[in-house]
Amino acid sequence: MEILKHWAFPQGHTVVFMLLTLISKGSTCEAPSSPECFRRSSDRTVYTCEWSMNTNESGVEYDFYFDETKFESTKQTTARFPEERLIKYDTVFIWVRAHIGNSSCTSLRSPVILADIVKYEAPTEISATWVKGNLTLCWKAAESRSALAEIRFRQHGNSNALWNNITSSAKTNNKTCTSQVNLLRNSAYKIQIRHKSKQVKRPLWSDWSQVVDVPADLQEEPDVTNKTKLLSSSRKVTLLWKSMPPAAAVTGVNLTDTQSSRGCPCGRRNHLMKKNKYTIYVPLSAVNISVVAMNSAGHSPPAVVQLPAVIPEDLQACNGTLLDNKLNKTTCLEFYEFQDEVPRSENVITLTGRQKKPERKNIKENLKDFVRYLYCEHRCHNGRPQTVKMCLFYKKEDAPLTEPKDLITFSETQSSTNLSWRSIPLTDQQGFLTHYSLCSQKISSEEEPKECHKISASLTQCRLENLTPATKYIITLAGVARAGEGPKATVTVNTLPEKYFNVWWSLGLMLSFFFMSTSCTFILKRIKIKIFPPVPKPVIDFTTYPREHQELLDGKEEVYELTLHKLLLEGKSISEEAEDRTVLGEEWDGDMDEDMENERGDSRMSGEINDEDPDCIDETLRSSKDGETTDLQQLENEFAMLIYRNGLVFDVKTDSP
């Protein structure tokens, strides 16, 4: 009896279990699996029991037992029981009996403590995101407590590859479970997840989730190019970019552009695009367009296309704005801080007609005093923004805060000097400069008044003239705005003394020039006379003759034959002269004949000596012999004759042979 008592528990159950097993083996049906009873979370009050059976028969009926108590008959493989009907904290045996026709079979009996068993539902709402090179998986959590997750994965496109499993802890945040997995960023994967509780003694793994496709990480920004066409009051921008890698485009890629020009009318807009080309219209103000590639696992870094403002060359101060006016819904205003001549899009204040009055008031208060803004007025026309006005604006002006920078002098002379400086920085101008005030004063005499000049605000250098030689001056330069004059920049300059030798040097140069010009003129005249000698002019006698002589003057010129004889030298007779002529030979005869012929022609023209006049010849011979008339040596050197014909006088000089 005692032995039987010792076998009653748990050995008695073991014997019964073995007997039931033998009975089931002898039956015609296959026994179902041992049931699992659990809660879906530790705070649930309903238990779910599940089992399975490998059969194709229909109409199978199941009896569910807790110990020896039959709790329910069902045709499903699951059953639900409230915790009030169950024993949670003590060990109980659960088992199932299946009925197929006239046969039955029983599952194994499992001893369990129901309070220790929790089985989560399969993960749902799974999302995968690449964060800093790691894959972060998120799903809907079963409860707001830490859990254990198991992840299995294989590369996308390789269906024959084996699954790889990773087990890691998962944290819950707002009922969302996350886990980080180290995978290759440039590969796409198929992933499944299951999880179980860490708060109970006997947690069960949940079922595997559905397979999730995870694309590769978008590590690089899109390669974007743009083509901009300037219109009358806007710009047409065409964006082009390359396709993403295939591994990153497993679930598709969308691109978003963010127009920081505030759109039309000045509103931020996002566009989802699946093509590689997009056209957008933007105003003339500064614009940033961000293009981001996105897939189901995240997004790429933004590719920012910066379009600077198209500033007109004749940009002037605003003569009026709509800052205090009521704006309609198609108008917006933009105020860009204009620092270093470049309007910055990140420092822009936008005012639209869609904003409420308190909001508009706060925006106006955000405008700074003494800060230069680029005022842009945009309007929306047919869905496209247009810039209708652009000018410079100050909410409030003041005198310049600092003086012109780096004022220096150079190239000083006796009466002038050059000045150079850098303009006042825009941040220190605090208003629109009207001009620069340039003043000079002699240091030697304090009673001397200052001489001031207005210099254009656009200049950075000038020349100061009409100064006194060898004098020291103090020169000041200050920027003048509408609100007044700013601090002065000061510099000292010494003019050079006068140099008197410059006057003598100038006089010497003038005299040298006069002498050279006179010499050149004389030389040119001499050269001209040598090359082109002057033509002699005839001497015309305009003597008036009496009427009785008119007939003689009007008579025809008479030409006489003339024979020229050579004079005999002293001590020679005519016969000796003839012998000398004979000795000279034929050459002398030819030359003499030619000379005689020429002399005869000249004699004919002169009409004074005639070879037929023997008296003239004898007279000449007697004069040569006696030496009474002229000197013989003088006759050898020169023979002069005066010829008179019809009132004309010719002076003919002939060298003696």
Side-chain angles (χ1 to χ4, degrees):
M1 210 47 198
E2 293 179 0
I3 295 174
L4 292 175
K5 288 181 180 179
H6 288 291
W7 281 68
F9 190 88
Q11 287 84 354
H13 290 288
T14 304
V15 174
V16 173
F17 173 74
M18 294 176 65
L19 292 173
L20 292 175
T21 302
L22 293 174
I23 294 172
S24 64
K25 288 183 180 179
S27 63
T28 59
C29 67
E30 184 177 350
S33 63
S34 297
E36 289 183 341
C37 293
F38 49 83
R39 291 176 294 175
R40 289 300 185 185
S41 65
S42 57
D43 56 354
R44 296 283 185 92
T45 59
V46 176
Y47 283 82
T48 300
C49 297
E50 295 178 343
W51 62 91
S52 63
M53 184 174 180
N54 187 14
T55 181
N56 295 325
E57 297 289 339
S58 60
V60 180
E61 187 174 350
Y62 302 97
D63 295 333
F64 189 83
Y65 290 87
F66 277 90
D67 289 336
E68 298 298 330
T69 304
K70 180 181 177 181
F71 267 67
E72 185 174 343
S73 294
T74 178
K75 293 183 179 181
Q76 305 295 327
T77 56
T78 60
R80 294 177 182 271
F81 307 100
E83 63 179 5
E84 292 84 2
R85 297 179 57 187
L86 304 175
I87 300 173
K88 296 172 53 178
Y89 302 103
D90 292 335
T91 302
V92 295
F93 286 88
I94 54 176
W95 51 283
V96 175
R97 177 176 290 173
H99 300 279
I100 303 176
N102 295 328
S103 60
S104 63
C105 50
T106 304
S107 69
L108 297 176
R109 296 190 180 201
S110 300
V112 295
I113 299 176
L114 296 179
D116 296 338
I117 303 175
V118 172
K119 181 181 180 180
Y120 293 153
E121 292 182 353
T124 58
E125 302 178 11
I126 300 175
S127 64
T129 307
W130 291 98
V131 178
K132 296 181 180 180
N134 294 328
L135 182 64
T136 299
L137 299 173
C138 301
W139 60 91
K140 185 177 180 180
E143 56 183 350
S144 58
R145 296 179 181 179
S146 60
L148 194 65
E150 185 177 8
I151 303 165
R152 65 180 184 179
F153 60 90
R154 66 184 179 189
Q155 287 191 345
H156 187 277
N158 189 2
S159 57
N160 297 325
L162 298 176
W163 290 94
N164 297 311
N165 288 41
I166 297 177
T167 302
S168 64
S169 297
K171 297 180 180 179
T172 18
N173 183 16
N174 296 329
K175 294 187 178 181
T176 302
C177 189
T178 62
S179 179
Q180 291 187 350
V181 184
N182 293 324
L183 299 178
L184 298 177
R185 299 177 63 183
N186 56 355
S187 298
Y189 293 92
K190 288 183 175 295
I191 289 179
Q192 283 185 300
I193 304 173
R194 66 177 184 176
H195 55 164
K196 67 179 180 178
S197 174
K198 296 174 65 176
Q199 307 302 320
V200 296
K201 294 181 179 180
R202 190 184 172 189
L204 301 178
W205 284 109
S206 69
D207 294 335
W208 288 103
S209 67
Q210 294 182 349
V211 177
V212 178
D213 291 324
V214 179
D217 187 13
L218 293 167
Q219 304 178 44
E220 299 179 357
E221 61 186 39
D223 186 4
V224 182
T225 59
N226 72 91
K227 296 180 180 179
T228 303
K229 181 180 180 181
L230 182 62
L231 305 179
S232 59
S233 56
S234 62
R235 287 173 289 181
K236 179 181 178 182
V237 182
T238 301
L239 302 174
L240 302 169
W241 56 87
K242 295 181 180 180
S243 300
M244 295 294 105
V250 168
T251 59
V253 176
N254 295 330
L255 283 95
T256 302
D257 81 280
T258 303
Q259 182 186 346
S260 61
S261 63
R262 307 303 185 266
C264 178
C266 296
R268 189 182 183 91
R269 298 185 299 174
N270 292 335
H271 306 274
L272 293 177
M273 299 158 287
K274 293 188 177 180
K275 297 181 179 179
N276 291 10
K277 181 179 180 180
Y278 184 71
T279 301
I280 187 173
Y281 291 86
V282 298
L284 300 181
S285 57
V287 175
N288 286 351
I289 302 177
S290 300
V291 181
V292 180
M294 299 184 302
N295 57 20
S296 61
H299 57 81
S300 69
V304 180
V305 179
Q306 294 183 343
L307 301 178
V310 181
I311 301 177
E313 295 181 357
D314 56 345
L315 188 64
Q316 302 294 332
C318 295
N319 54 6
T321 65
L322 299 179
L323 182 61
D324 298 323
N325 297 358
K326 184 178 180 180
L327 303 178
N328 55 35
K329 294 182 179 180
T330 61
T331 303
C332 71
L333 309 178
E334 287 183 330
F335 297 87
Y336 292 87
E337 286 192 24
F338 202 67
Q339 305 293 342
D340 300 328
E341 302 292 343
V342 178
R344 303 182 184 278
S345 58
E346 60 269 16
N347 298 328
V348 62
I349 297 177
T350 305
L351 196 63
T352 67
R354 300 176 183 272
Q355 295 167 340
K356 296 181 180 180
K357 190 174 182 179
E359 186 179 0
R360 294 185 60 192
K361 184 178 179 180
N362 293 334
I363 291 175
K364 292 179 183 179
E365 292 177 353
N366 290 334
L367 291 174
K368 303 174 185 177
D369 295 335
F370 319 130
V371 174
R372 179 176 293 190
Y373 289 94
L374 177 66
Y375 170 82
C376 299
E377 184 177 324
H378 307 301
R379 292 180 184 174
C380 191
H381 180 69
N382 294 332
R384 298 177 182 177
Q386 293 183 342
T387 303
V388 297
K389 187 174 183 180
M390 187 179 291
C391 57
L392 297 176
F393 170 79
Y394 276 98
K395 180 182 177 182
K396 187 177 180 180
E397 294 187 60
D398 199 357
L401 190 62
T402 60
E403 70 281 356
K405 306 297 182 182
D406 300 334
L407 177 63
I408 59 173
T409 62
F410 59 95
S411 301
E412 293 85 356
T413 65
Q414 293 87 356
S415 61
S416 64
T417 183
N418 289 335
L419 298 171
S420 176
W421 65 91
R422 288 192 299 112
S423 60
I424 302 173
L426 289 178
T427 54
D428 297 335
Q429 290 186 14
Q430 300 192 127
F432 294 107
L433 291 181
T434 58
H435 63 277
Y436 287 105
S437 177
L438 178 63
C439 299
S440 61
Q441 185 180 20
K442 294 180 180 180
I443 296 180
S444 59
S445 177
E446 296 182 357
E447 297 179 358
E448 289 284 342
K450 289 184 178 180
E451 293 186 7
C452 295
H453 308 274
K454 291 183 178 181
I455 308 298
S456 174
S458 62
L459 296 179
T460 57
Q461 61 181 5
C462 70
R463 184 175 181 82
L464 184 60
E465 297 182 341
N466 299 325
L467 302 179
T468 304
T471 306
K472 191 173 184 179
Y473 284 88
I474 291 180
I475 300 175
T476 61
L477 183 69
V480 182
R482 297 175 180 177
E485 183 176 297
K488 299 178 180 180
T490 305
V491 69
T492 303
V493 63
N494 292 312
T495 55
L496 300 178
E498 289 184 339
K499 297 181 180 180
Y500 295 101
F501 72 89
N502 290 340
V503 177
W504 295 105
W505 179 255
S506 301
L507 182 60
L509 289 177
M510 292 178 61
L511 293 175
S512 300
F513 177 76
F514 177 75
F515 176 76
M516 291 178 64
S517 61
T518 304
S519 301
C520 291
T521 303
F522 178 76
I523 293 172
L524 289 175
K525 285 185 177 181
R526 296 287 296 175
I527 294 174
K528 182 179 179 182
I529 292 174
K530 291 291 184 179
I531 298 175
F532 305 104
V535 179
K537 297 181 180 180
V539 180
I540 302 176
D541 187 5
F542 293 94
T543 305
T544 306
Y545 294 91
R547 182 175 299 273
E548 57 272 14
H549 298 287
Q550 189 66 32
E551 295 179 358
L552 297 176
L553 296 175
D554 292 338
K556 294 183 180 180
E557 179 181 2
E558 295 180 1
V559 181
Y560 299 95
E561 294 291 334
L562 175 63
T563 301
L564 182 62
H565 295 276
K566 186 176 182 180
L567 297 178
L568 297 177
L569 298 177
E570 183 178 359
K572 284 188 179 183
S573 62
I574 296 176
S575 59
E576 292 175 351
E577 187 71 22
E579 290 177 0
D580 293 338
R581 181 175 181 181
T582 303
V583 174
L584 291 175
E586 295 178 357
E587 182 179 354
W588 168 260
D589 292 340
D591 294 339
M592 193 64 185
D593 291 341
E594 184 178 355
D595 293 339
M596 293 297 293
E597 189 67 23
N598 292 335
E599 291 177 0
R600 188 178 292 112
D602 294 338
S603 299
R604 290 194 190 101
M605 293 183 64
S606 64
E608 186 173 345
I609 301 176
N610 195 340
D611 56 354
E612 295 180 359
D613 192 354
D615 295 333
C616 182
I617 297 173
D618 294 339
E619 184 68 21
T620 303
L621 293 174
R622 282 194 302 269
S623 299
S624 59
K625 290 181 178 181
D626 299 336
E628 297 176 355
T629 306
T630 58
D631 188 77
L632 182 59
Q633 190 68 26
Q634 182 177 0
L635 289 175
E636 289 179 353
N637 297 330
E638 185 177 358
F639 178 76
M641 292 180 294
L642 292 177
I643 305 172
Y644 301 90
R645 284 294 184 269
N646 293 339
L648 300 180
V649 179
F650 298 91
D651 185 6
V652 179
K653 294 182 179 181
T654 307
D655 293 335
S656 176

